[in-house]
């Protein structure tokens, strides 16, 4: 049941993709909105160039542009330039890119102290904004629960939660939620493409780069929504061909399933989004794996894991939770008693759910497809496919559609991508490997001696686990960035001797190229913000360096 926001005064704290999506959704719902774009948070690496940004997929304060500041909060007509329609909505005219003052909300794009001594948010434009003046506060994923805004909201009895929770309160349809330390983007895209090929016209959103709250505007009003899978990432498509139009990567076999209900929504959820959810309840929830990550945000592994497990906290006996039997520590699940039905996945043994056995993938004992039919390489990608198979079977997708999709599916850019061969060495870009688990998975997928390039921004953990679990094929390591010292210390503690350091990525590639290894793998096990704007820029720079080597420049 959709919650009403008509006439409610809402403060949005943090302005990027999720903040803009929240504002659009709230304005369409009749709310009065004020937005604060907190530059200080961006500067601390928790916003536009921070952990909730491109490493987490949300890009939450990225490409921030200042907008004119109004003097009060008004309701007005709204025009949605982003989606590109000229129709007026009940609370309608807002031109996001014009020079006019937004009449239905105003933005304060200036620094606000993280520590606020009293009950007001002070800004250069207004002497103070009282938290008590609002009925609701919606936060960006970049805002941790430890932020002062949460304490102030509690003191004044003001409801506060994140954009994903807002989306849940506006969404009234079938929801598939995906989380995990690694693989969640791949699994989200896999499920989306399988369901799309099956004619279900899914909406893919969330941490993958499209605001959950914003998609509810058109979803609940029966607007035309299609997803363009050819861009390699779930995005709202501006096609005017009508709902259900399949994109170039899909085929006519979709007609075999009749769409009798609104399209399902597949949402990727990060720990930053999940820590503030209250009522969000996926019909199918998936947790791909849990390994240490973002300890600088969550404080310790237990708190980080608890945020991931939040995805199932509101599920009922009518819902399904899918867990990895291979990659979730048993002690993390101690005391975890979901109300939902539970299925498991495993690449190592038979489980109640989806598993790999003797080169065949089974679902509840039924043969679905052969391992050899999957295009993606590496055991970790087989594990990702098991989750997608499980979710697809729960939605009634025929086996041959699942097999056809997995046979053609392309991996994400910057995820274990073969860049080229130079001097007899193969170069691989896994810049999206931003934690230890991801880098171990990439290293295990290598065939032959490998020089691994590690390092970047410190996320709060040590690297002993990485060295203890490195496959024997990793013969050399090149460390760079902020974590160089930590990596070298862990190498000494664990007895790994072939380690060198480099001051830049270009130097790291040169050092790795000079080793006897057959492969050079960039999989940093760290986020990128010490040297780059995001993992995508880091990956692009790596590929440029390799291509210059190949071309002889």
């Amino acid at each position: 049941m959709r919650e009403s926001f008509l006439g409610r005064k809402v403060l949005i704290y943090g302005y990027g993709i999720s903040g803009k999506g929240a504002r659009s959704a709230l304005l369409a719902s009749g709310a009065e909105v004020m937005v604060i774009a907190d530059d200080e948070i961006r500067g601390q690496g928790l916003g536009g160039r921070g952990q909730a940004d491109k490493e987490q997929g949300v890009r939450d304060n990225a490409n921030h542009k200042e907008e004119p500041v109004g003097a009060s909060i008004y309701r007005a007509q709204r025009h949605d330039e982003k989606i590109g329609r000229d129709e007026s909505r009940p609370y309608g005219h807002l031109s996001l890119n014009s020079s006019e003052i937004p009449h239905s909300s105003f933005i304060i794009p200036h620094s606000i102290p993280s520590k606020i001594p009293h009950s007001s948010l002070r800004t250069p434009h207004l002497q103070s904004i009282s938290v008590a003046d609002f009925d609701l506060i919606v936060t960006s994923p970049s805002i941790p629960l430890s932020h002062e805004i949460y304490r102030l909201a509690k003191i004044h009895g003001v409801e506060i939660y994140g954009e994903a929770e807002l989306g849940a309160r506006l969404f009234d349809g079938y929801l598939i939620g995906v989380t995990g330390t690694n693989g969640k983007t791949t699994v989200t895209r896999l499920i989306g493409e399988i369901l799309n090929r099956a004619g279900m016209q899914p909406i893919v959103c969330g941490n993958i780069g499209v605001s959950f709250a914003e998609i509810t505007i058109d979803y609940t009003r029966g607007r035309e929504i299609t997803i363009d899978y050819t861009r390699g990432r779930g995005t709202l498509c501006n096609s005017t061909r009508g709902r259900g139009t399949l994109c170039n990567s899909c085929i006519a076999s979709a007609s075999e399933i009749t769409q009798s209900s609104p399209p399902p929504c597949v949402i990727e959820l990060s720990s930053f989004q999940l820590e503030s959810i209250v009522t969000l309840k996926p019909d199918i929830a998936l947790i791909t794996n849990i390994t240490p990550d973002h300890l600088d945000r969550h404080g310790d592994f237990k708190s980080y894991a608890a945020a991931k497990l939040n995805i199932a906290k509101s599920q009922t006996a009518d819902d399904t939770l899918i867990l990895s039997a291979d990659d979730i520590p048993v002690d993390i699940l101690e005391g975890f008693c979901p109300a939902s039905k539970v299925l498991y996945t495993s690449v190592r043994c038979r489980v109640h759910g989806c598993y790999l056995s003797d080169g065949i993938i089974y679902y509840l004992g039924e043969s679905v497809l052969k391992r050899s039919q999957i295009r993606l390489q590496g055991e970790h990608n087989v594990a990702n496919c098991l989750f997608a198979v499980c979710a697809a079977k729960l939605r009634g997708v025929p086996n041959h559609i699942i097999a056809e999709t997995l046979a053609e599916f392309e991996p994400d850019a910057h995820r274990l991508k073969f860049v080229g061969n130079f001097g007899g060495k193969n170069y691989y870009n896994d810049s999206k490997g931003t934690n230890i688990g991801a880098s171990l998975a990439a290293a295990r997928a290598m065939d032959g001696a490998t020089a691994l390039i590690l390092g970047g921004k410190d996320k709060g953990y040590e690297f002993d686990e990485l060295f203890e679990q490195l496959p024997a094929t990793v013969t050399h390591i090149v460390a760079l960035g902020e974590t160089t010292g930590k990596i070298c210390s862990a190498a000494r503690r664990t007895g790994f001797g072939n380690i060198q350091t480099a001051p830049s990525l270009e130097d790291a590639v040169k050092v790795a190229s000079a080793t006897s290894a057959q492969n050079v793998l960039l999989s940093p096990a760290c986020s990128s913000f010490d040297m780059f704007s995001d993992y995508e820029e880091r990956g692009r720079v790596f590929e440029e360096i390799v291509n210059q080597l190949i071309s002889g420049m």
Side-chain angles (χ1 to χ4, degrees):
M1 186 71 175
R2 280 170 54 85
E3 184 174 326
S4 174
F5 291 88
L6 182 64
R8 297 181 70 183
K9 294 182 178 180
V10 184
L11 173 66
I12 297 175
Y13 198 92
Y15 195 60
I17 284 181
S18 65
K20 290 175 182 177
R23 185 175 74 164
S24 295
L26 286 165
L27 292 174
S29 300
E32 300 177 351
V33 180
M34 176 185 290
V35 180
I36 292 177
D38 194 332
D39 288 332
E40 178 176 298
I41 293 171
R42 285 202 304 281
Q44 291 175 343
L46 292 175
R49 291 169 63 91
Q51 311 269 354
D53 188 23
K54 295 189 179 181
E55 305 292 352
Q56 282 291 94
V58 175
R59 296 168 171 81
D60 194 58
N61 279 303
N63 303 318
H64 168 71
K65 295 180 180 178
E66 295 191 6
E67 298 186 36
V69 178
S72 188
I73 304 176
Y74 301 95
R75 270 207 294 265
Q77 291 291 101
R78 179 181 185 277
H79 166 65
D80 195 330
E81 262 190 8
K82 180 177 181 181
I83 297 177
R85 281 186 288 275
D86 294 326
E87 65 188 310
S88 292
R89 293 198 173 113
Y91 301 98
H93 181 76
L94 176 62
S95 181
L96 296 182
N97 297 315
S98 73
S99 60
E100 63 186 82
I101 293 175
H103 291 147
S104 54
S105 65
F106 62 86
I107 299 167
I108 303 167
H110 289 274
S111 178
I112 294 175
S114 295
K115 298 294 183 182
I116 305 168
H118 304 295
S119 61
S120 298
L121 306 177
R122 303 185 187 281
T123 77
H125 291 283
L126 300 177
Q127 282 195 328
S128 67
I129 302 169
S130 176
V131 169
D133 289 341
F134 297 92
D135 303 309
L136 170 67
I137 300 171
V138 176
T139 61
S140 155
S142 61
I143 311 300
L145 297 182
S146 59
H147 195 281
E148 191 74 2
I149 189 72
Y150 277 90
R151 184 184 71 83
L152 294 176
K154 183 177 181 180
I155 288 173
H156 291 282
V158 178
E159 191 171 21
I160 183 170
Y161 49 71
E163 178 267 335
E165 174 65 21
L166 173 65
R169 299 190 184 205
L170 290 168
F171 183 77
D172 189 15
Y174 196 93
L175 185 63
I176 300 173
V178 183
T179 194
T181 305
N182 297 305
K184 56 186 177 292
T185 299
T186 298
V187 171
T188 301
R189 288 187 56 223
L190 275 168
I191 294 171
E193 293 209 16
I194 292 172
L195 298 186
N196 201 37
R197 185 181 288 261
M200 296 184 186
Q201 306 125 39
I203 301 164
V204 180
C205 64
N207 194 53
I208 202 167
V210 178
S211 165
F212 182 28
E214 185 165 16
I215 66 98
T216 65
I217 299 172
D218 291 298
Y219 182 93
T220 54
R221 296 185 179 189
R223 306 291 187 198
E224 298 169 357
I225 297 180
T226 59
I227 300 297
D228 182 357
Y229 287 100
T230 64
R231 301 181 189 178
R233 184 180 296 276
T235 55
L236 289 177
C237 177
N238 291 327
S239 169
T240 59
R241 292 173 293 175
R243 169 179 280 181
T245 301
L246 300 183
C247 297
N248 295 335
S249 60
C250 302
I251 59 174
S253 60
S255 61
E256 298 182 20
I257 293 181
T258 301
Q259 182 72 27
S260 58
S261 59
C265 178
V266 188
I267 179 173
E268 180 188 328
L269 293 160
S270 71
S271 61
F272 293 4
Q273 293 166 306
L274 287 169
E275 69 177 0
S276 64
I277 65 168
V278 182
T279 66
L280 189 148
K281 184 186 78 67
D283 296 272
I284 301 175
L286 304 91
I287 305 178
T288 60
N289 46 62
I290 303 178
T291 59
D293 199 5
H294 299 298
L295 303 190
D296 53 341
R297 162 76 174 247
H298 296 286
D300 54 43
F301 182 39
K302 184 175 181 180
S303 298
Y304 168 71
K308 291 294 188 185
L309 296 177
N310 259 355
I311 195 172
K313 76 174 186 178
S314 296
Q315 284 193 303
T316 68
D318 294 328
D319 305 315
T320 303
L321 172 64
I322 307 173
L323 298 172
S324 169
D326 301 331
D327 300 312
I328 299 179
V330 175
D331 58 331
I332 289 300
L333 297 175
E334 184 177 353
F336 177 61
C337 300
S340 53
K341 299 181 286 290
V342 179
L343 295 176
Y344 296 91
T345 67
S346 177
V347 295
R348 302 168 191 165
C349 61
R350 298 189 178 194
V351 293
H352 179 66
C354 194
Y355 58 90
L356 175 69
S357 179
D358 296 325
I360 305 293
I361 291 176
Y362 294 88
Y363 173 75
L364 296 179
E366 174 194 359
S367 173
V368 179
L369 75 157
K370 296 179 180 179
R371 162 66 182 91
S372 59
Q373 292 176 267
I374 297 174
R375 180 172 185 171
L376 295 172
Q377 299 299 307
E379 184 180 90
H380 65 294
N381 275 322
V382 177
N384 291 335
C385 289
L386 296 181
F387 279 97
V389 170
C390 211
K393 292 295 290 183
L394 285 168
R395 291 295 291 165
V397 178
N399 292 348
H400 75 91
I401 291 181
I402 296 173
E404 289 165 359
T405 308
L406 298 186
E408 298 177 9
F409 185 83
E410 293 277 1
D412 281 340
H414 312 293
R415 174 60 86 192
L416 203 56
K417 174 185 176 183
F418 176 68
V419 180
N421 182 283
F422 173 71
K425 296 183 188 296
N426 298 312
Y427 291 81
Y428 294 90
N429 172 14
D430 191 54
S431 181
K432 201 176 180 185
T434 59
N435 56 64
I436 288 173
S439 295
L440 284 172
R444 290 166 183 154
M446 292 292 99
D447 184 15
T450 300
L452 174 61
I453 299 174
L454 286 175
K457 186 179 183 298
D458 193 347
K459 297 171 80 175
Y461 47 71
E462 302 297 329
F463 291 84
D464 297 65
E465 179 186 351
L466 183 142
F467 284 98
E468 289 165 357
Q469 298 184 41
L470 274 179
T473 50
V474 176
T475 56
H476 298 77
I477 281 180
V478 182
L480 78 162
E482 185 178 299
T483 53
T484 296
K486 273 191 169 185
I487 293 169
C488 291
S489 295
R492 286 193 297 269
R493 287 193 296 269
T494 55
F496 189 95
N498 285 344
I499 183 166
Q500 297 173 270
T501 63
S504 68
L505 183 55
E506 183 176 7
D507 290 316
V509 173
K510 290 178 180 177
V511 171
S513 299
T515 68
S516 59
Q518 176 184 342
N519 306 304
V520 173
L521 169 64
L522 171 69
S523 189
C526 301
S527 55
S528 61
F529 305 118
D530 59 335
M531 302 175 79
F532 300 95
S533 63
D534 50 63
Y535 73 80
E536 292 178 343
E537 183 191 5
R538 178 171 61 187
R540 285 195 300 271
V541 171
F542 175 76
E543 293 185 14
E544 288 169 3
I545 294 167
V546 173
N547 287 328
Q548 287 173 4
L549 286 175
I550 294 172
S551 64
M553 293 177 62

